[in-house]
């Protein structure tokens, strides 16, 4: 399925990194709004480690889990089968043209998706279209303007700058988080609230490898050196890798 470039890609290593995320650790804003029996859209579901927690929260309701990459759908289906969850309808699809009718779900959720899309407001309009009036649309994106890397190492800082340049080159927005409320307003949502929180990675080697592997796949002449520098930085004692995440919640207006 074609679409804008997804900077991290879908390698087994990337999927394993994404699977560290759960509904409890990364979807508190959505969990707080869910009730048993609801029908939820999880857009950009990835390998499903967050999805399964959301599915438990709405059971016996259902989750429509959509991702553009078929390999991610297969990972989610396998996870749901292992965990005995039968209320997830997983399929490949396009965030800009959802195969759901108007007003067919009670709520919509997207995590770490809008920062990769060239038209975030358009994706939010599509999410709002399928949510019943009054229902919530909840999205969470990082904002690299609040990024903290310690201790400061010039080459590691350059590696982070290089990753951001790659994502921008792919049509993404590394400061998407701060724009979520504006995108929601442009999409016609109302009662918008925006907040912020930090994720401090307890395994710096894992996040460094995730970013370094992406840098290595790009064609820049210094990319291999920068990737090595980032990996070396992750082994320094007493360091910190902290990323700002911006949750935004909006409501669908009456039709």
């Amino acid at each position: 399925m074609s679409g804008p470039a997804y900077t991290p890609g879908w390698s087994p290593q990337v999927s394993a990194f994404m699977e560290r995320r759960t509904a409890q650790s990364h979807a508190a804003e959505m969990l707080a709004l869910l009730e048993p029996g609801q029908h939820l859209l999880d857009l950009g579901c990835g390998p499903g480690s967050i999805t399964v927690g959301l599915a438990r929260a709405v059971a016996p309701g259902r989750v429509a889990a959509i991702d553009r990459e078929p390999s991610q759908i297969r990972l989610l289906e396998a996870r749901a089968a292992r965990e005995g969850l039968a209320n997830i309808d997983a399929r490949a699809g396009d965030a800009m043209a959802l195969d759901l009718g108007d007003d067919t779900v009670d709520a919509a959720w997207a995590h770490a998706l809008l920062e990769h899309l060239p038209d975030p407001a358009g994706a939010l309009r599509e999410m709002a279209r399928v949510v019943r009036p009054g229902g919530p649309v909840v999205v969470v994106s990082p904002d690299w303007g609040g990024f903290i890397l310690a201790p400061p190492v010039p080459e590691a800082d350059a590696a982070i700058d290089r990753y951001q340049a790659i994502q921008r080159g792919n049509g993404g927005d590394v400061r998407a988080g701060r724009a979520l409320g504006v995108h929601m307003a442009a999409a016609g949502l109302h009662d918008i609230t925006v907040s912020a929180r930090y994720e401090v990675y307890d395994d710096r080697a894992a996040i460094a490898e995730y970013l370094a592997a992406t840098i290595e796949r790009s064609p820049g002449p210094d990319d291999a050196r920068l990737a090595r520098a980032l990996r070396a930085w992750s082994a320094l004692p007493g360091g910190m890798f902290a990323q700002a995440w911006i949750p935004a919640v909006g409501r669908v207006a009456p039709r």
Side-chain angles (χ1 to χ4, degrees):
M1 182 175 296
S2 62
Y6 177 57
T7 300
W10 296 281
S11 70
Q13 293 79 10
V14 167
S15 295
F17 179 81
M18 298 297 184
E19 286 176 338
R20 295 167 175 256
R21 299 169 176 171
T22 67
Q24 288 68 33
S25 65
H26 283 72
E29 296 80 12
M30 189 73 262
L31 285 173
L33 298 173
L34 295 179
E35 298 177 0
Q38 289 181 319
H39 189 185
L40 171 69
L41 166 65
D42 180 1
L43 185 59
C45 61
S49 57
I50 294 177
T51 313
V52 293
L54 300 176
R56 290 191 181 92
V58 299
R62 305 194 67 79
V63 176
I66 297 176
D67 198 284
R68 64 178 280 197
E69 171 55 35
S71 67
Q72 301 299 286
I73 297 304
R74 292 191 291 272
L75 288 172
L76 170 53
E77 289 175 334
R79 175 182 286 271
R82 289 195 304 271
E83 299 190 20
L85 293 169
N87 65 328
I88 299 174
D89 305 311
R91 56 190 180 276
D94 183 352
M96 307 305 296
L98 297 171
D99 61 345
L100 294 170
D102 296 354
D103 304 343
T104 52
V105 299
D106 298 296
W109 157 261
H111 181 272
L113 171 67
L114 297 188
E115 66 270 23
H116 298 291
L117 301 180
D119 183 12
L124 284 163
R125 279 192 293 272
E126 187 67 353
M127 294 172 75
R129 177 185 66 79
V130 304
V131 175
R132 297 182 181 97
V137 174
V138 183
V139 294
V140 181
S141 287
D143 193 305
W144 289 71
F147 187 83
I148 300 174
L149 189 76
V153 174
E155 282 199 325
D157 289 338
I160 296 299
D161 291 343
R162 176 59 179 150
Y163 181 89
Q164 294 181 70
I166 293 168
Q167 184 164 316
R168 287 193 297 266
N170 286 334
D173 180 4
V174 295
R175 297 195 175 192
R178 68 188 64 191
L180 291 180
V182 174
H183 293 322
M184 282 191 159
L189 294 163
H190 70 115
D191 290 345
I192 298 165
T193 60
V194 183
S195 57
R197 53 181 161 79
Y198 266 94
E199 179 178 8
V200 180
Y201 291 82
D202 55 1
D203 186 349
R204 286 184 292 133
I207 182 64
E209 181 59 36
Y210 167 79
L211 298 174
T214 300
I215 294 168
E216 283 180 328
R217 292 196 303 271
S218 64
D222 296 326
D223 289 344
R225 175 179 59 81
L226 293 175
R228 288 195 299 271
L230 192 56
R231 292 185 177 105
W233 166 86
S234 72
L236 295 176
M240 178 176 67
F241 189 112
Q243 186 173 31
W245 289 91
I246 312 299
V249 180
R251 294 275 177 175
V252 175
R255 310 295 187 197

